Amino acid sequence: MELTELINHLKVIQVAGNVQRKDVASFEHDSRKVKKNSVFVAIRGYKTDGHLYVMDAVNKGAVAVVVEEDSNIPDEIFIHADIAKIVVKNSRIALAQLSKGFYKDPTSKLKLIGITGTNGKTTTAFILKNIFETAGNKTGLIGTIANYIGSEKIDSKLTTPESNDLNNFFYQMVINGCSHAVMEVSSHSLVLNRVYGLNFAGAVFTNITSDHLDFHLTFENYLNAKKILFDNLTENSVAIINADDKSSEQIIKDSKAKVYTYGQSETSDYVISSIKYDLNGTSFTITTGGKSYHLKTILIGEFNAYNSAAAFAIADILCVPKEKIVEGIKSTPFVPGRFEVIGSGIKKAIVDYSHTADSLEKAIRALRQIIGNDRQLVTVFGCGGDRDKTKRPIMGKVATELSDLVVITSDNPRTENPMQIINDIKQGVVKNNFIVIENRYDAIKYAIQKSKDDAAILIAGKGHETYQEVNGVRNHFSDQETAREFLS
């Protein structure tokens, strides 16, 4: 597609230089990826400013640059280079608009469902993808664990990629025959306009608890970030919300979409009841339209009844046959690192991504309900570095209150001192039932080898991740592999 045509998708403040009638090769926000005839979009990030790399993009053969700041580089540079400088109010929105046009508005050709909330996004997305595919609809997925185009797996680095990568993914889904797509929508992506201009057929709100306050600063800001997804839905879209979450009404109060609810509240459109679970799975009932449906899943815990109900609701509203929804929920495999049970003997390890106080509490309580009070419950956890510090002591309090033994260790310390993170966690502990082992491998080894023969060991925080990031370097590390080593 020619640059002259793509510019029509933008609200332009000013254009300098030459807008060439050339086909654009790609849109890039990273100057290192620019090639001949790319358009470079200069974005102000939190670690660096893309405007500092405009000349790098020019020298690599960019056909145009899109900027917010007009004064850094004289127009004469662009005129001499025979390329265009395009000034816009918001570069992030410009990137979304340009990539949407470049990839031929791919989400208008898909039934796209966005899922947001603090916990449950990944599992709900996997369940919904499986339901759609059980009903014969090839489905793409974008999320924390990986991205999928049907059965093809593509590694994921961000829960929600940048808008140019997103539109490219959706375009690939379309040309590969997908009719449906499911995506996790993070609060960061909403604030940073990564999902700007996407056509959502529906959106799901799972729940909200305190998280990411390092970025959002206040819970109100975090809530309002999640709300953006629902504010931008059209009257032709549907919103599925957790009626049992006290923030649900705030989330959808300005939405134009048709709203449906799920939860244990009897006023819900999809009422959840009779939840039962053990280490083999979960059974529950959903009642809607005067009829009840009994469901089973190998996924464990009350929270997975909620995740399944959310997927049931959106699939039902999109006219997936009920028998296919029930079958899809039943056949959904374990989601990697989401309450994943490891071990063939009596002693079990449960690897879970729970990395907030709320999700950790729910995971421990679910495990306690399964094993009862007579079996030992051990929790191994840490907290990530360079992230929300306010949750650290709260998680320490939750873990020591609800577990028989807690092993406090490192998660992904990133650029922080691991022991400082551990000390922050210790500020909240309420019982002297913990031990500190900084090395995560040794911590898991200790928890498994020193626990009772029938113990259940919750290894929390990293879930599906196969690395540990220390001082900015990622080294291979898997909670699952480590647990299997010492349970064998």
Side-chain angles (χ1 to χ4, degrees):
M1 191 175 294
E2 289 187 355
L3 177 62
T4 49
E5 183 180 352
L6 287 166
I7 286 180
N8 293 330
H9 293 273
L10 296 179
K11 290 183 179 179
V12 175
I13 296 174
Q14 178 189 345
V15 177
N18 181 22
V19 180
Q20 301 180 44
R21 297 187 63 87
K22 284 187 176 181
D23 284 334
V24 172
S26 67
F27 289 93
E28 305 294 350
H29 57 87
D30 183 340
S31 63
R32 293 167 295 186
K33 296 181 180 180
V34 170
K35 55 190 175 184
K36 186 176 180 181
N37 293 339
S38 292
V39 173
F40 175 63
V41 183
I43 289 176
R44 287 192 175 92
Y46 287 86
K47 293 183 178 179
T48 189
D49 185 346
H51 291 79
L52 299 173
Y53 304 96
V54 167
M55 285 307 302
D56 290 347
V58 171
N59 293 332
K60 287 185 174 181
V63 70
V65 296
V66 179
V67 297
E68 293 176 8
E69 178 56 58
D70 184 33
S71 59
N72 284 353
I73 302 175
D75 292 350
E76 288 74 17
I77 297 288
F78 299 93
I79 295 169
H80 179 72
D82 199 30
I83 67 172
K85 178 176 79 170
I86 303 165
V87 183
V88 297
K89 182 178 180 181
N90 187 311
S91 291
R92 290 186 181 275
I93 290 177
L95 180 63
Q97 292 170 325
L98 288 166
S99 54
K100 178 179 179 178
F102 183 69
Y103 291 110
K104 303 176 183 178
D105 192 9
T107 56
S108 66
K109 304 174 183 70
L110 295 164
K111 283 199 178 298
L112 172 62
I113 307 302
I115 302 170
T116 198
T118 305
N119 305 311
K121 296 187 295 298
T122 299
T123 301
T124 304
F126 270 79
I127 296 170
L128 188 54
K129 181 179 189 291
N130 200 61
I131 291 172
F132 286 150
E133 292 185 335
T134 299
N137 303 297
K138 188 172 182 179
T139 303
L141 182 147
I142 292 176
T144 305
I145 293 177
N147 302 317
Y148 290 84
I149 299 174
S151 59
E152 181 188 359
K153 182 179 179 181
I154 302 164
D155 288 341
S156 174
K157 293 184 178 180
L158 296 171
T159 298
T160 314
E162 290 288 354
S163 57
N164 58 329
D165 295 323
L166 266 180
N167 278 285
N168 185 16
F169 277 130
F170 291 127
Y171 178 70
Q172 296 301 321
M173 290 178 194
V174 171
I175 64 176
N176 281 281
C178 291
S179 58
H180 292 62
V182 183
M183 71 177 297
E184 298 178 47
V185 184
S186 68
S187 57
H188 291 68
S189 73
L190 288 160
V191 171
L192 299 176
N193 292 304
R194 290 177 186 162
V195 298
Y196 184 92
L198 299 184
N199 298 291
F200 287 98
V204 175
F205 170 67
T206 59
N207 51 64
I208 191 166
T209 58
S210 182
D211 197 17
H212 301 303
L213 298 191
D214 55 316
F215 180 82
H216 297 290
L217 302 180
T218 67
F219 179 78
E220 182 181 11
N221 290 343
Y222 179 45
L223 176 67
N224 287 333
K226 297 290 189 186
K227 187 174 178 295
I228 292 170
L229 177 61
F230 298 88
D231 289 351
N232 289 325
L233 294 177
T234 70
E235 58 274 6
N236 296 319
S237 305
V238 294
I240 314 298
I241 63 167
N242 179 353
D244 298 336
D245 190 287
K246 62 183 180 181
S247 296
S248 288
E249 290 187 10
Q250 177 69 17
I251 286 284
I252 49 88
K253 75 171 187 175
D254 299 312
S255 181
K256 301 182 185 72
K258 184 169 177 55
V259 177
Y260 297 85
T261 58
Y262 69 95
Q264 294 189 66
S265 168
E266 292 184 357
T267 61
S268 301
D269 296 305
Y270 294 82
V271 179
I272 310 168
S273 61
S274 304
I275 302 172
K276 297 178 182 177
Y277 57 88
D278 56 26
L279 288 179
N280 296 311
T282 304
S283 64
F284 56 100
T285 298
I286 290 179
T287 302
T288 184
K291 294 184 178 181
S292 294
Y293 303 86
H294 302 285
L295 297 105
K296 292 183 178 180
T297 173
I298 67 168
L299 308 179
I300 299 164
E302 181 180 82
F303 42 84
N304 278 318
Y306 274 81
N307 295 334
S308 299
F312 184 108
I314 191 73
D316 184 41
I317 292 161
L318 294 180
C319 300
V320 176
K322 298 280 199 315
E323 64 273 15
K324 294 297 184 182
I325 301 176
V326 173
E327 183 184 344
I329 290 172
K330 185 177 182 180
S331 64
T332 300
F334 272 119
V335 181
R338 272 35 178 202
F339 220 77
E340 183 179 354
V341 181
I342 294 170
S344 57
I346 298 174
K347 183 181 289 192
K348 303 283 189 185
I350 296 87
V351 174
D352 192 65
Y353 191 53
S354 44
H355 60 285
T356 67
D358 178 70
S359 60
L360 183 63
E361 179 177 353
K362 286 178 177 174
I364 297 173
R365 289 191 184 278
L367 189 53
R368 176 61 78 192
Q369 183 167 333
I370 291 169
I371 68 172
N373 293 320
D374 295 334
R375 290 175 63 181
Q376 186 186 31
L377 193 161
V378 181
T379 298
V380 181
F381 87 104
C383 290
D386 303 330
R387 298 293 187 270
D388 184 0
K389 296 182 180 181
T390 64
K391 64 184 179 183
R392 294 174 185 174
I394 304 171
M395 292 176 71
K397 182 176 187 293
V398 165
T400 51
E401 274 187 340
L402 301 178
S403 310
D404 296 313
L405 173 66
V406 176
V407 184
I408 303 175
T409 187
S410 281
D411 190 287
N412 290 319
R414 298 185 177 90
T415 64
E416 282 196 68
N417 183 318
M419 284 308 301
Q420 181 57 58
I421 298 171
I422 289 170
N423 288 333
D424 289 344
I425 293 170
K426 287 169 60 180
Q427 295 303 309
V429 301
V430 293
K431 294 165 66 178
N432 189 25
N433 61 340
F434 71 94
I435 183 171
V436 171
I437 302 177
E438 180 187 334
N439 182 284
R440 193 173 182 90
Y441 178 89
D442 292 338
I444 295 171
K445 176 182 177 181
Y446 178 92
I448 292 173
Q449 291 188 338
K450 299 298 183 181
S451 57
K452 295 180 179 179
D453 290 342
D454 64 348
I457 301 102
L458 176 66
I459 306 172
K462 289 177 58 59
H464 64 282
E465 294 175 351
T466 56
Y467 63 85
Q468 189 173 36
E469 185 173 335
V470 182
N471 291 325
V473 178
R474 290 187 175 187
N475 298 301
H476 179 78
F477 186 88
S478 165
D479 285 350
Q480 290 94 326
E481 289 174 10
T482 308
R484 289 190 185 99
E485 178 181 345
F486 296 109
L487 281 171
S488 59

